[in-house]
Amino acid sequence: MDITLYTTRGCSSCIAAKQLCNRANVEFTAIEPGAPGEISKFEFQTQFPDIRGFPYVIIKQEGEPDIQFIGVVELAKLFLKKGLVSSKKK
């Protein structure tokens, strides 16, 4: 599973998505459009013209279509479905 998180500075949902990936013990790439060394905001908007929220998540899995969505809730649902995290409190 290849996960890319497009994030933006000051986004609490972006921070939560990164923490969720860490909790699920999955590797991910975080990209902050417009940040030094990252793609420009213009390039991001050109690649993804309909995206109006963060985190924007793209998950690539071999032999399956890409999964794309906005938000940490959908990421949590996916991880729960795959058994990577639990909703039970410790």
Side-chain angles (χ1 to χ4, degrees), residues 8-81:
T8 190
R9 181 170 295 172
C11 168
S12 59
S13 292
C14 299
I15 294 167
K18 292 176 191 177
Q19 290 172 339
L20 183 60
C21 287
N22 287 329
R23 178 177 157 204
N25 202 27
V26 296
E27 292 185 22
F28 64 95
T29 301
I31 299 173
E32 183 182 327
E38 302 286 0
I39 65 170
S40 70
K41 288 182 180 182
F42 177 77
E43 186 179 352
F44 176 79
Q45 291 170 339
T46 301
Q47 273 186 291
F48 309 106
D50 297 328
I51 302 307
R52 299 286 182 253
F54 290 96
Y56 177 53
V57 182
I58 301 175
I59 301 175
K60 297 180 183 223
Q61 301 177 92
E62 193 172 320
E64 295 185 31
D66 292 355
I67 301 169
Q68 301 179 28
F69 52 84
I70 297 169
V72 70
V73 173
E74 291 301 317
L75 184 61
K77 287 179 182 179
L78 178 71
F79 285 176
L80 279 167
K81 182 179 175 182

